[in-house]
Each structure stands twice: as structure tokens, then as C-alpha cells.
Amino acid sequence: VQLVESGGGSVQAGGSLTLSCAASEYTYSANCMGWFRQAPGKEREGVAAIHQRSGGTFYAGSVKGRFTISRNNAEYMVYLHMNSLKPEDTAMYYCATGPSRYGSSCLLSPPLYSTWGQGTQVTVS
């Protein structure tokens, strides 16, 4: 198993959660680590990504200012800190690895990402 997500749960609107993604050393060496989500009946969408070498971060417009992606290089961990949660944030959240584009950019397009975790459920009521 190369990516394992944890930290999901149920929270009231306006609350916070932090998701964690534990990666193997090899998987963590990918250029981009991203968080994605998929709600029932909807397509998987990119939420946030971080470029591993530069530390540059990238966010979907719907979460910018509320979510923060971070990493711990020593422990091969990537986090998604989610604040001001809304019911529309309810989804299964996945972390994934992928290549960078245009130098040090990470795109939030799911087809670009090749290794995926099993997901962790976030429910906001």
C-alpha cells in the first residue's frame, strides 16, 4: 500500500478537519501530491496539490482560503487542513501522486495522477 488517507469524519458546518496522507518513501518522491474528492453522483475533482520540491501549493477555487495543504518531509506525510467546512464539501477524499507540469506547477486534473489511496469520508451537516 503506497498511500493511506485518514482523518475523515462527520462535522457540523463551519467546523474543521485535518486529513492525513501517509506515503511510502518512493511514492512521496513524486513531483506532486494532491488531494481530490468525489461526492456521490459527481465526478472526481481536484481540491489541492503541493509541489514537493518547490513547496508551491495549488487550490481549487471552491476551497481557496478555507483549505490548506501541507507536508512533513521527514515523515512522508501530506495534510489537508479544512476550515469553515460547508455541506457541499461532503465527499470521499483521496490523496494521489502525479507529475508536475510547466516546471513547478501541479495541475488539479485527476487523470494526471497515477497512484491513489483508498479514500477517507468527510461528511458536513
Side-chain angles (χ1 to χ4, degrees):
V1 178
Q2 296 176 301
L3 293 171
V4 180
E5 303 94 335
S6 62
S10 296
V11 64
Q12 290 189 335
S16 300
L17 278 176
T18 294
L19 305 183
S20 302
C21 176
S24 65
E25 180 178 358
Y26 175 77
T27 302
Y28 195 79
S29 65
N31 285 341
C32 295
M33 297 284 289
W35 283 96
F36 299 80
R37 65 187 182 187
Q38 187 166 19
K42 294 188 177 181
E43 292 187 355
R44 190 169 296 189
E45 63 174 354
V47 175
I50 186 166
H51 190 271
Q52 294 292 70
R53 280 196 297 276
S54 71
T57 56
F58 308 86
Y59 296 95
S62 59
V63 306
K64 203 165 189 177
R66 301 189 298 123
F67 291 10
T68 302
I69 188 170
S70 66
R71 65 176 190 232
N72 182 324
N73 290 337
E75 297 184 356
Y76 310 127
M77 296 288 294
V78 176
Y79 303 97
L80 185 67
H81 310 276
M82 306 185 294
N83 296 318
S84 302
L85 282 162
K86 305 175 181 180
E88 50 263 44
D89 295 317
T90 295
M92 185 72 79
Y93 283 72
Y94 302 87
C95 67
T97 65
S100 59
R101 289 286 189 269
Y102 314 117
S104 300
S105 293
C106 296
L107 301 182
L108 295 176
S109 176
L112 295 176
Y113 289 71
S114 56
T115 301
W116 293 81
Q118 82 291 347
T120 186
Q121 178 68 38
V122 172
T123 303
V124 185
S125 59

